[in-house]
Amino acid sequence: MDLNFTPDEVAFRQEVRDFVADNLPADIRHKVINGLLLQSEDYVRWQKILHAKGWGGPGWRKEFGGPGWTPTQQYIFDEECAAAGAPRAIPFGLKMVAPVIMQYGSPAQQQRFLPKILSADEWWCQGYSEPGAGSDLASLKTRAVREGDHYVVNGQKTWTTQGQYADWIFCLVRTDTEAKPQRGISFLLIDMKTPGITVRPIITMDGAHEVNEVWFENVRVPVENLVGEENAGWTYAKFLLGHERTNIAGIGIAKRELARLKRIATLETKHGKPLIKDPMFAARIAQVEIDLTALEITNLRVLSAEAERRAPGPEASILKIKGTEIQQAITELLVQVVGTYALPLRRDAMAAGYQGDPVGPFYAIPLAANYLNMRKLSIYGGSNEIQKNIIAQMILGL
């Protein structure tokens, strides 16, 4: 693979860089660069700016309203946005359910849902995991029983990220209890305003309300909201999970956070010298940077597969494992670089415009919360242990 960018790609990078510099709101950039709390409105505002430019769906084909970019252009766009301090795209609509609807949805579903995903007029969340059915997703128990023109859904989903904001949820439900576990699952699109849906918050160890439980009690879902064929949802779920795991790699974000680590390491001192000049600490930073470069090359290989209209394969599991490990390693080094100043966990101080007295330097405020929050990366999207099993079976043939 030739990793050198063509002149056209170099020009495209500059175009993206200039646009983001001119159009990314300063308050949003300040929050992202400094690790402060983002509100749902921040994500929506930036998405609408991108949509107005025609860049709202970087990975979308032109026929669905996207720019029709190549994988390399998508990579450049994500990298430039991350480096500039733009918030990450809302993934559940744009990068997860939208590819499923494009690939397997009916024309009516494509016309109904895709434009509002692109414009951020509708927020989506994911209904996959359940108590007892996380990485072992095929054991899910949420039932959908056909009654005339509706499915009646009963059950519980958990770890539903940003479900408190969502207008819609895409759900895996069991429609056949007699078939083998993977063959009795269907893929439904459910309006979160439907009677019988209850969203209950789960507060994570960093003090955030990011995830939720979602309960379904006799929720009636029109049959027209079934994606593809009944009992074929496992195929669509695997297709979606491949996209989710490539997104989790977060290479552009890791590069930005690595740059932040280096900045802070030049400000913190050890024996009167910048910590970044300490040989042991510098070696740890260098190791993360080497791992990140290797991951970047693997990511380009996966993007090339997507360009050929092939769903991400087991290589996506490699991205998921290494990407999450690298991001976790960076948060750990960020905590270590400021020492005891990283210990206080104060979510109030992470709000933009906080006027209280910080404990230590300003840049230390979010580090404890970020470290705790990022422990989730190696669990969601299929735990890293499960990903290693996939690699062993699908790549190594073990």
Side-chain angles (χ1 to χ4, degrees):
M1 178 180 292
D2 184 1
L3 297 181
N4 295 312
F5 294 109
T6 67
D8 286 345
E9 289 165 349
V10 172
F12 175 75
R13 181 183 291 277
Q14 190 60 52
E15 180 186 4
V16 173
R17 185 174 296 173
D18 291 343
F19 175 82
V20 176
D22 292 341
N23 292 276
L24 177 63
D27 62 315
I28 295 179
R29 181 183 185 279
H30 172 76
K31 292 178 184 179
V32 172
I33 291 294
N34 293 290
L36 303 179
L37 296 177
L38 287 166
Q39 306 299 320
S40 60
E41 294 82 4
D42 296 325
Y43 294 98
V44 170
R45 185 159 39 123
W46 177 235
Q47 177 62 24
K48 287 186 176 294
I49 291 171
L50 292 176
H51 179 54
K53 174 67 173 175
W55 292 357
W60 290 30
R61 303 195 298 272
K62 287 185 177 180
E63 63 191 277
F64 296 117
W69 287 340
T70 66
T72 302
Q73 287 176 307
Q74 296 171 43
Y75 169 78
I76 290 171
F77 175 80
D78 287 342
E79 186 176 43
E80 289 298 322
C81 284
R88 195 170 189 171
I90 307 166
F92 304 104
L94 280 171
K95 297 188 175 184
M96 294 169 69
V97 74
V100 173
I101 294 174
M102 292 176 195
Q103 185 75 11
Y104 301 106
S106 67
Q109 289 170 342
Q110 293 169 354
Q111 294 169 11
R112 162 63 184 85
F113 294 110
L114 295 180
K116 291 191 176 182
I117 292 174
L118 202 58
S119 65
D121 287 334
E122 289 180 342
W123 190 298
W124 284 78
C125 64
Q126 180 183 29
Y128 271 28
S129 295
E130 300 179 3
S135 295
D136 182 20
L137 191 56
S139 62
L140 65 88
K141 293 181 172 57
T142 295
R143 288 289 313 279
V145 178
R146 178 78 178 262
E147 291 186 1
D149 293 334
H150 289 78
Y151 289 101
V152 179
V153 179
N154 284 277
Q156 177 191 1
K157 297 295 180 179
T158 194
W159 309 123
T160 308
T161 303
Q162 298 176 339
Q164 69 270 35
Y165 306 128
D167 301 295
W168 286 81
I169 183 171
F170 54 93
C171 270
L172 292 182
V173 296
R174 188 160 300 285
T175 44
D176 187 344
T177 58
E178 303 299 324
K180 291 182 179 180
Q182 290 89 342
R183 296 183 180 176
I185 293 172
S186 297
F187 195 106
L188 288 182
L189 311 177
I190 304 176
D191 188 337
M192 289 289 282
K193 297 184 293 296
T194 308
I197 295 179
T198 303
V199 179
R200 298 174 183 170
I202 298 173
I203 305 303
T204 50
M205 64 180 177
D206 62 327
H209 175 198
E210 183 180 8
V211 294
N212 305 269
E213 296 176 304
V214 180
W215 293 82
F216 301 87
E217 299 176 86
N218 296 320
V219 175
R220 297 182 65 81
V221 180
V223 170
E224 65 195 42
N225 288 5
L226 171 72
V227 174
E229 299 177 6
E230 186 174 282
N231 299 325
W234 190 248
T235 298
Y236 317 143
K238 290 191 296 182
F239 178 84
L240 184 149
L241 285 171
H243 286 273
E244 180 184 19
R245 288 165 188 159
T246 56
N247 294 325
I248 289 172
I251 292 170
I253 293 173
K255 285 186 173 183
R256 183 187 69 219
E257 293 305 292
L258 182 61
R260 177 158 71 127
L261 171 62
K262 290 179 177 179
R263 287 198 305 272
I264 295 175
T266 61
L267 299 173
E268 293 292 319
T269 60
K270 180 180 180 181
H271 304 312
K273 296 181 180 180
L275 188 57
I276 199 169
K277 294 186 178 297
D278 177 76
M280 295 294 291
F281 197 81
R284 296 186 67 185
I285 294 177
Q287 185 60 59
V288 170
E289 196 157 12
I290 291 168
D291 290 344
L292 182 56
T293 300
L295 179 68
E296 187 174 12
I297 295 170
T298 304
N299 188 59
L300 290 172
R301 290 166 52 201
V302 173
L303 290 177
S304 295
E306 291 185 349
E308 297 170 6
R309 304 290 177 87
R310 291 186 285 120
E315 301 88 354
S317 294
I318 299 175
L319 292 179
K320 201 276 181 179
I321 293 171
K322 292 304 298 182
T324 56
E325 289 178 348
I326 289 168
Q327 291 180 71
Q328 288 177 340
I330 292 172
T331 63
E332 182 176 345
L333 289 172
L334 280 166
V335 167
Q336 292 180 355
V337 77
V338 299
T340 55
Y341 287 129
L343 290 176
L345 177 58
R346 298 182 57 186
R347 293 198 66 81
D348 59 334
M350 293 174 62
Y354 174 72
Q355 298 298 317
D357 294 326
V359 178
F362 170 76
Y363 52 74
I365 291 173
L367 299 184
N370 289 346
Y371 171 81
L372 293 172
N373 184 271
M374 289 298 169
R375 299 308 95 193
K376 69 189 178 186
L377 294 182
S378 51
I379 301 172
Y380 72 55
S383 71
N384 283 11
E385 290 77 11
I386 294 295
Q387 303 313 312
K388 291 175 182 177
N389 286 343
I390 292 172
I391 292 169
Q393 294 170 8
M394 302 298 292
I395 298 179
L396 303 178
L398 299 178

